[in-house]
Amino acid sequence: MLTENGDTDSIGLMKTKTTGLILALCFFGAALCFADDPQMSTSKPNESKSKVTAGTEKIKPTYISLVQFTDKGIQNAKQTTQRVAAWAAKVQSMGVTIKQMYWTLGQYDQVCIFEAPDDETAASVLLAADMLGNIRTQTMRAFTASEMEKILAKVP
């Protein structure tokens, strides 16, 4: 992308500096946010559980979203951490939990790892986030080792 001056390097440099600062803030914020999260200390990694009924637990599906800023998102990059925090609070009432959010260098600007009760809920919260106009997402359903074992058991 070219700026009005035709300088492609200044956008890349600005994005790199901004991303570095955001990463530092994100890791500090994540440490504070997840320090008291009981799910972060479970003995089985990648298998967070939610209570369905007393004595019965269900593993919530995990999703990984690759996020790219739109032009609007780049212009509002200074508010990216606040937007993520607001989004996380909003979708929590729908049973969605952000496990990790990383701001990254390269083709994607963020990687979000989250859990949702089902595919429909995951799709609805992602659509709502995309509709705000700051990001575009590509999302994958992730499977734990135990989920993959169940899948493999069904292979003919």
Side-chain angles (χ1 to χ4, degrees), residues 28-154:
F28 178 72
L32 292 174
C33 290
F34 294 116
D36 295 327
D37 187 349
Q39 290 184 343
M40 295 301 286
S41 62
T42 58
S43 59
K44 291 185 178 180
N46 301 323
E47 293 190 14
S48 296
K49 298 174 183 175
S50 63
K51 295 279 184 184
V52 176
T53 58
T56 306
E57 294 181 344
K58 179 184 175 191
I59 296 173
K60 288 170 71 173
T62 300
Y63 303 87
I64 300 171
S65 287
L66 304 175
V67 182
Q68 290 181 311
F69 289 138
T70 62
D71 288 341
K72 178 182 174 184
I74 287 290
Q75 291 170 0
N76 297 312
K78 288 185 178 183
Q79 291 82 32
T80 185
T81 55
Q82 292 93 342
R83 286 195 308 265
V84 168
W87 183 74
K90 185 175 186 176
V91 300
Q92 187 174 19
S93 66
M94 300 174 69
V96 175
T97 306
I98 296 180
K99 300 310 290 180
Q100 292 291 331
M101 174 64 83
Y102 299 100
W103 282 259
T104 57
L105 301 175
Q107 181 178 357
Y108 297 97
D109 300 302
Q110 296 171 309
V111 175
C112 180
I113 302 168
F114 69 98
E115 296 173 337
D118 51 55
D119 290 345
E120 293 80 7
T121 303
S124 68
V125 298
L126 288 165
L127 182 59
D130 286 358
M131 288 171 60
L132 295 174
N134 293 299
I135 60 169
R136 292 291 171 254
T137 58
Q138 291 184 343
T139 302
M140 301 167 280
R141 169 67 163 88
F143 298 94
T144 64
S146 62
E147 290 172 317
M148 192 62 198
E149 289 294 332
K150 290 177 186 174
I151 293 167
L152 294 172
K154 294 180 180 182

